Amino acid sequence: MSTAHFAFAFTVWLLPLFCQADPPPIRSASELDYPPFSIVREDNIAGGFSVELMRAALQAMGREVTFEIGPWAEIKQNLEAGHLEALPLVGRTPEREAFFDFTVPYISLYGAVFVRDDENRIKVPENLDGLHVGVLQGDNAEEYLRREGFTDRIVATRSYEEAFMQLAEGEIDAVVAQRLVGLTLIDTLGLDNITTAIAPLPGLRQDFCFAVTEGDKALLALLNEGLSVVIADGTYERLREKWLGILDRENDHQLFYFQIATGLMVSLSLMLLALFVYQHWREHRNLKINEAKFHALFENMAQGAFYQRADGTLLDINRAGLELFGITREQFLGRTSMDPQWKVVREDGSEIPGKQHPSMQALRTGKPVKGAILGVFNPQRKNYVWLNVTAIPQFLPGEDSPFQTFVTMHDISVRKETEERLKQQATHDPLTGLYNRKELETRLTREIARCNRYNHMLSVFMLDIDHFKRVNDQYGHQIGDTVLTNLSSLLERSIRKTDFSARYGGEEFVIVLSETPLDQAKDLAERLRKQVADHSIHLENNEDINLTISIGVATYPDHAESLKELLKAADMAMYTAKKAGRNQVKTADNASAAQG
C-alpha cells in the first residue's frame, strides 16, 4: 500500500472520533476578488481554489461550511473579533501570527510587481521609491511594503480589480500582488497594457493557509486533518488543475516548478501529519481540559486579574477584577487603557495617563512592574478603590517583545484609609480638625525658611476666646466642644487660601499669614475679630451663644528671629489685648510699649 493510500485509510478510520451529531456549519467568508483563490460567482456564491479546498477538507471530516462575502479588510477583522471561525485564504506573516492560528500551508507562491508596458524604470524593489503603488487593503503585499519601506506612497484599494484598473488607466505607477492573482486579473479584465516588472518578488513569499481564531486548537486540527485527506484522495490535485492552470501558460518555468515542488513537500508533510493526528487530537483535548482548569482558577482568584494585548486592547478579566472596577464584562472587553472611562490617580491625587498605566509600561519596556500603588474610580462605590498592581509581560517563544501582559490587583483601600486616618491623627487636632501644635511648628518652621530665602515677611495671630470658662461652667464641656468646633470652622472660612490655622491648646488658636507685613496683618485681625463678635452659635435648646476673641499679632522678622520668639511675641500681644479689656487686637509693638 502506498503512503498516500495508507494516510487516507488511517484518517478515514479516525473520523468517528471527531464527528458529532449534526454539528453546526463552520462560519467562514470569502474575499470579493482574489482570483483564482477567492471569487464571487454570477449567482453571488463564493468560489475559487481556496474556497472549494476548504469546503472539500471540511466535508471530508463530516462538516459543512458557510461563506459570507466581503472586502478582505472587513472579513479579516471579523475573524480577529471572533465573528467568524475560519478563513480559507490567509497568507501567514509575523504580523498575523499574533491574532490567528494557521494550518500547514497548502500552497506557497511569490508576489510580483506589475507595471504598464511603457514603464522600464523598475528592475528591483528599491526602484519603487517615490512611486504610487497599489495594493489590496490589509493584504500581505501592503504589510510587506510598509515593513520594508520601499515607498511611502501606498494606495490601498478595496479590491485588486480596482488597483489593476487604476494602473491600466495611469492613476498609479505599479501594483504589488501575488503573481497568480495578477496574471488571472490581467487575463479576466483584458488589460493588454500591463506586464510583469519583477517576478518573483523575493521578499514577498506567501504561504497560503487556512486560518482560525487564535486558540481554536480543535478546529485547527480538524482543518489540518481534512487537508491530509483531500491531498491523499486526489481532490487537491483536481482543484489545482481546475483553478491554477494559468500557471502553465506563463513562461517562467523555474518559478512554476518551484511551486510544484513546494506543493509536493506540503503534500508529504500533510500525509505525515495524518499518521500522528490521533495523538495530536488527544494532546489538544488534554490542552482544552488544562485550559478549562486554568480559566476556572483565573476566574476564582481572590485578587483581581486581567490580560491586556500588546496594542493595549483589554482581553479578559476575572470576577474580582470587575468588582474592583465596578463595571460589567461588556464594559471592559475590547477597550484600551486610553479609554476616557478610566479615572486613575497616583497617591498624591494626580491623574495617571493611559500610556503610563502599569500594564502599558510592562508592554512597552518588556519588564515587570511590581507594587505600583494607584487609585481607580469605582462608579458603583462612587469612590476610588486603591490597588497594589503588578504587571507581568508575557512573550511567545523566540520573541523579544511581549504579546500581552498579565495584571494582578490587590485591594488595599482599607489599608489606605487606615494610613490616612493615622496621618490625620498625627497632624490634626481630633476635636476641631485644625492642625495640631506639632504640625503648626513644622509648617511655621518651613514658612520662616522661605522668608529667609526670598526676603519675605510673615505674620502670626495668637487668639483666645474671651471668658471661655464661663461657657463650660454654664453649659457644660459638651457645649464647650461645640463652641470650639464652630469657631474653628469660622476661622477656616475667614482666612485666605495661602494661610493656615491651628489649635495651640485649650481655647487658644494660631493663624499663620504668609508674605504678610504687620499693617496688613493688623487689618485682617481686626476684620476677623469683628466677624467673631457678630457671629452667634445656635444651640439645640434654641439658645444663642455670642463670643468675643482677643488677638495678638507679631511679624517675622520685625518682632522675632526664631519660631519660639515669634510665638512668644504674639502671645504677649494677645495678653496685652486681654488686659486692655478683651475683644481687641494688639500687636507686639503695643506689648513692648505697655511693658516700657
Side-chain angles (χ1 to χ4, degrees), residues 117-169:
D117 53 16
D118 60 355
E119 172 63 69
N120 55 15
R121 294 173 294 173
I122 302 174
K123 305 298 183 184
V124 293
E126 287 76 8
N127 296 147
L128 296 173
D129 185 26
L131 301 183
H132 291 85
V133 181
V135 292
L136 175 65
Q137 183 181 4
D139 188 53
N140 300 47
E142 181 182 4
E143 295 174 3
Y144 164 73
L145 287 179
R146 296 192 187 282
R147 183 170 62 245
E148 300 298 331
F150 290 131
T151 180
D152 57 359
R153 299 182 179 182
I154 298 173
V155 180
T157 61
R158 286 173 58 85
S159 68
Y160 263 126
E161 179 178 337
E162 180 183 344
F164 275 91
M165 291 301 297
Q166 289 184 17
L167 176 61
E169 294 170 5

Side-chain angles (χ1 to χ4, degrees), residues 440-454:
L440 165 70
E441 293 176 352
T442 299
R443 289 177 175 267
L444 186 52
T445 299
R446 194 181 305 145
E447 288 297 320
I448 290 175
R450 288 181 68 250
C451 289
N452 294 334
R453 187 181 305 117
Y454 300 110

Side-chain angles (χ1 to χ4, degrees), residues 290-300 316-317 329:
N290 291 334
E291 286 177 349
K293 291 179 180 178
F294 173 78
H295 193 268
L297 177 64
F298 169 75
E299 190 65 24
N300 292 285
D316 197 7
I317 186 171
R329 190 175 300 275

Side-chain angles (χ1 to χ4, degrees), residues 303-564:
Q303 65 267 40
F306 66 86
Y307 288 94
Q308 189 166 11
R309 203 164 59 198
D311 63 359
T313 303
L314 299 165
L315 296 176
D316 197 7
I317 186 171
N318 65 359
R319 283 195 293 266
L322 291 174
E323 291 177 5
L324 292 176
F325 289 152
I327 58 176
T328 64
R329 190 175 300 275
E330 290 72 23
Q331 290 172 318
F332 179 86
L333 298 179
R335 298 183 181 271
T336 70
S337 297
M338 277 60 75
D339 195 294
Q341 79 163 350
W342 303 115
K343 297 179 181 178
V344 185
V345 297
R346 301 181 180 88
E347 290 186 274
D348 62 5
S350 61
E351 185 176 352
I352 304 178
K355 292 183 178 180
Q356 296 180 18
H357 290 182
S359 57
M360 295 302 294
Q361 291 185 41
L363 288 169
R364 185 173 59 255
T365 64
K367 298 179 180 179
V369 177
K370 299 181 179 180
I373 306 298
L374 51 83
V376 178
F377 185 77
N378 184 309
Q380 291 186 355
R381 303 184 192 180
K382 294 181 173 55
N383 202 350
Y384 280 91
V385 175
W386 286 97
L387 306 173
N388 185 315
V389 178
T390 295
I392 305 298
Q394 297 183 326
F395 300 83
L396 293 172
E399 296 289 336
D400 295 328
S401 299
F403 73 99
Q404 67 179 17
T405 184
F406 178 62
V407 181
T408 57
M409 306 169 291
H410 295 265
D411 188 352
I412 60 169
S413 299
V414 174
R415 191 188 85 187
K416 286 290 293 183
E417 290 173 4
T418 302
E419 291 174 354
E420 289 299 319
R421 186 167 59 253
L422 293 174
K423 183 179 178 181
Q424 178 80 7
Q425 291 173 357
T427 59
H428 289 71
D429 175 60
L431 175 63
T432 64
L434 302 180
Y435 289 129
N436 58 25
R437 186 166 182 167
K438 180 180 179 182
E439 185 66 12
L440 165 70
E441 293 176 352
T442 299
R443 289 177 175 267
L444 186 52
T445 299
R446 194 181 305 145
E447 288 297 320
I448 290 175
R450 288 181 68 250
C451 289
N452 294 334
R453 187 181 305 117
Y454 300 110
N455 196 26
H456 290 163
M457 290 184 171
L458 71 82
S459 294
V460 170
F461 296 168
M462 180 77 75
L463 63 91
D464 183 84
I465 302 175
D466 297 329
H467 302 299
F468 181 70
K469 185 175 182 300
R470 294 179 185 175
V471 175
N472 281 332
D473 292 343
Q474 183 176 350
Y475 298 100
H477 288 283
Q478 185 174 357
I479 297 300
D481 289 347
T482 300
V483 169
L484 291 173
T485 56
N486 193 288
L487 177 62
S488 299
S489 298
L490 177 61
L491 296 180
E492 285 288 276
R493 295 195 303 270
S494 302
I495 63 177
R496 302 170 302 182
K497 291 183 178 180
T498 55
D499 306 330
F500 61 89
S501 56
R503 186 182 181 191
Y504 198 62
E507 65 270 23
E508 290 186 345
F509 298 85
V510 172
I511 298 176
V512 177
L513 301 90
S514 61
E515 300 183 25
T516 306
L518 181 62
D519 291 344
Q520 184 181 352
K522 185 177 179 182
D523 291 340
L524 293 172
E526 185 60 38
R527 190 185 309 163
L528 177 61
R529 181 201 64 76
K530 188 173 186 307
Q531 283 181 302
V532 174
D534 294 340
H535 178 69
S536 295
I537 301 174
H538 188 71
L539 303 180
E540 292 182 356
N541 61 2
N542 290 326
E543 288 190 60
D544 290 330
I545 296 178
N546 294 94
L547 302 174
T548 61
I549 57 175
S550 298
I551 304 177
V553 183
T555 301
Y556 180 88
D558 293 351
H559 300 132
E561 296 181 354
S562 67
L563 178 149
K564 185 176 180 179

Side-chain angles (χ1 to χ4, degrees), residues 57-94:
L58 286 170
Q59 288 177 346
M61 301 303 295
R63 298 294 299 270
E64 295 296 329
V65 59
T66 59
F67 291 97
E68 300 175 6
I69 296 173
W72 164 244
E74 179 180 311
I75 64 174
K76 183 178 74 168
Q77 185 176 2
N78 286 341
L79 179 62
E80 183 177 341
H83 303 316
L84 298 173
E85 296 177 271
L87 288 178
L89 178 67
V90 183
R92 186 169 189 165
T93 66

